[in-house]
């Protein structure tokens, strides 16, 4: 079955530094979604990418979908303490497969 | 739009007991998902409904798990003969089939502890 891998599992950054998390799938994905889960909270949708090579930006967040639609990345520029949480990628529309997540800690 | 709600928020039960959780999706959403999440892991897909039809079910689910969505609105997830390994957060999510396909709205979850 489809497997979605995410690295790194943990990342500590100084406030103001950049952060990137990577997502890789064992199979071609129809789409990739990114979610953020704050400590003690539930996953909250950030964005969906569906086209090969697609790049989308949301303020300081940049999302990319690979040309082969098997990998994706999320890059945060100049992290803030409000960015703390776990970032998950997920692929599929019906049977959705989530990655293990990257837990981001931002040191003020 | 009151969001996705789940009941109860916490459930403590003894091994071998049956438990049932309820999920009320956002009213205009016809897709509903159940996930299980353990500490340090991503949500693990359990099952998916489009309206009242259960279209996908994880092979990870044993026959102790069953889910229903009888009228295409709220859904229930039942776990029979609970085991300690069932302890987890059970998340429900809903989405539409038009517009932002794929965007799922998650509920707060039901935390199950099996003693």
């Amino acid at each position: 079955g489809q497997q979605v891998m995410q690295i790194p599992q943990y990342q500590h950054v100084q406030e103001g530094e950049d952060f990137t998390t990577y997502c890789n799938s064992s199979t071609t994905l129809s789409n990739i979604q990114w979610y953020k889960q704050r400590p003690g909270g539930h996953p909250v949708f950030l964005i969906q990418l569906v086209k090969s090579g697609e790049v989308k930006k949301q303020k300081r967040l940049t999302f990319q979908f690979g040309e082969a639609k098997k990998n994706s990345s999320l890059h945060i520029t100049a992290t803030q303490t409000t960015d703390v949480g776990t970032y998950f990628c997920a692929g599929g529309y019906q049977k959705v497969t989530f990655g293990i997540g990257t837990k981001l800690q931002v040191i003020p | 739009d009151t969001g996705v709600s789940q009941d109860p928020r916490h459930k403590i039960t003894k091994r071998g007991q049956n438990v049932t959780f309820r999920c009320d999706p956002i009213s205009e959403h016809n897709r509903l998902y159940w996930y299980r999440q353990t500490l340090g892991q991503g949500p693990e897909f359990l099952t998916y409904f489009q309206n009242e039809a259960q279209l996908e079910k994880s092979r990870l689910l044993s026959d102790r798990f069953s889910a229903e969505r009888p009228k295409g609105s709220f859904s229930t997830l039942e776990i029979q003969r609970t085991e300690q390994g069932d302890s987890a957060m059970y998340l429900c999510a809903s989405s539409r089939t038009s517009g932002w396909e794929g965007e799922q709205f998650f509920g707060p979850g039901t935390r199950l502890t099996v003693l």
Side-chain angles (χ1 to χ4, degrees):
Chain A
Q2 180 175 281
Q3 290 187 329
V4 175
M5 292 146 285
Q6 239 181 299
I7 56 168
Q9 264 192 271
Y10 303 95
Q11 185 81 57
H12 292 76
V13 298
Q14 204 74 35
E15 188 173 18
E17 291 182 340
D18 292 357
F19 159 76
T20 305
T21 173
Y22 300 91
C23 182
N24 290 285
S25 171
S26 56
T27 59
T28 302
L29 297 167
S30 55
N31 64 329
I32 192 84
Q33 302 163 36
W34 285 91
Y35 291 82
K36 177 183 178 181
Q37 187 171 24
R38 294 182 185 272
H42 55 271
V44 175
F45 178 84
L46 294 176
I47 209 158
Q48 175 170 265
L49 306 171
V50 295
K51 297 177 183 176
S52 169
E54 190 170 12
V55 178
K56 288 189 176 180
K57 293 190 176 184
Q58 286 179 352
K59 298 182 181 178
R60 295 179 294 105
L61 278 61
T62 302
F63 304 84
Q64 289 188 309
F65 200 9
E67 293 290 340
K69 299 182 75 172
K70 294 180 76 172
N71 61 285
S72 180
S73 65
L74 158 60
H75 179 83
I76 302 178
T77 304
T79 54
Q80 300 174 358
T81 54
T82 53
D83 296 326
V84 164
T86 301
Y87 293 85
F88 294 99
C89 62
Y93 280 118
Q94 297 185 358
K95 186 175 180 181
V96 181
T97 303
F98 278 75
I100 196 170
T102 296
K103 187 173 182 179
L104 173 64
Q105 291 276 22
V106 179
I107 305 162
Chain B
D1 180 354
T2 58
V4 178
S5 62
Q6 291 187 245
D7 183 70
R9 296 290 304 276
H10 303 272
K11 179 71 178 178
I12 300 174
T13 191
K14 292 183 179 179
R15 188 176 54 186
Q17 297 294 305
N18 299 344
V19 294
T20 300
F21 310 141
R22 177 181 170 121
C23 171
D24 286 90
I26 293 171
S27 58
E28 65 267 27
H29 287 185
N30 51 8
R31 290 184 173 177
L32 188 146
Y33 307 78
W34 283 100
Y35 295 90
R36 178 174 64 189
Q37 187 176 29
T38 53
L39 195 63
Q41 300 295 315
E44 179 183 27
F45 174 85
L46 294 178
T47 191
Y48 156 73
F49 290 86
Q50 172 119 357
N51 299 312
E52 66 274 12
Q54 188 175 20
L55 299 183
E56 285 279 356
K57 186 175 176 180
S58 169
R59 285 175 292 176
L60 297 170
L61 279 186
S62 70
D63 55 9
R64 296 185 299 109
F65 288 71
S66 62
E68 292 183 344
R69 195 182 182 198
K71 296 182 180 178
S73 55
F74 74 91
S75 175
T76 58
L77 177 69
E78 182 184 15
I79 309 174
Q80 295 182 328
R81 304 181 303 281
T82 52
E83 303 172 355
Q84 288 185 325
D86 297 331
S87 294
M89 177 72 84
Y90 289 83
L91 294 165
C92 174
S94 69
S95 70
R96 295 177 293 183
T97 52
S98 61
W100 267 110
E101 280 203 61
E103 177 181 0
Q104 297 180 58
F105 294 81
F106 281 82
T110 295
R111 181 167 296 283
L112 173 66
T113 302
V114 182
L115 302 176

